[in-house]
Amino acid sequence: MGMPGLFLCAAIGLNSASSVVIKYSGSLRGLGAGLLMGLGLGLGALNVLCYSRALESLKLSEAYLALSAGSLLVITLASAVLFRELPSLRQLGGMALVLGGIGLVVT
């Protein structure tokens, strides 16, 4: 996979974690909410750093699609497990079309 691929995987994980933490912070009040929001923003900043390192060696068109598809899958799974936000069959079908299209572009 190499370092660019590892940086891209890290960016996907950090992007997804940032979204989950920011979502969870909305369910809290006071200092806890602010601290979690700060953590989510920090994870987002680390995502940008890893993604920019990956882009030093990868094509933008392919890296962005991988980031989008990977984040889509991880966030959908995390939201189902952590927040009980289950996608409908129609939404799952749409995600399959998106992922299939991305597969056609990057191969």
Side-chain angles (χ1 to χ4, degrees):
M1 174 182 292
M3 289 305 289
L6 291 175
F7 278 118
L8 184 58
C9 288
I12 292 168
L14 290 163
N15 182 52
S16 301
S18 173
S19 294
V20 169
V21 169
I22 290 170
K23 164 76 174 175
Y24 185 68
S25 75
S27 67
L28 302 176
R29 297 289 174 252
L31 182 60
L35 290 174
L36 275 183
M37 178 61 76
L39 175 62
L41 293 173
L43 291 169
L46 289 174
N47 157 49
V48 171
L49 292 174
C50 288
Y51 186 57
S52 66
R53 286 294 308 269
L55 289 177
E56 291 174 3
S57 302
L58 300 175
K59 293 180 181 179
L60 175 60
S61 60
E62 293 177 2
Y64 181 74
L65 291 173
L67 178 71
S68 298
S71 296
L72 173 68
L73 292 173
V74 172
I75 291 170
T76 300
L77 179 61
S79 67
V81 172
L82 299 173
F83 305 115
R84 307 283 188 248
E85 297 175 352
L86 301 176
S88 68
L89 288 176
R90 184 176 188 176
Q91 290 169 322
L92 289 172
M95 285 185 255
L97 288 173
V98 167
L99 295 173
I102 290 170
L104 291 174
V105 171
V106 298
T107 58

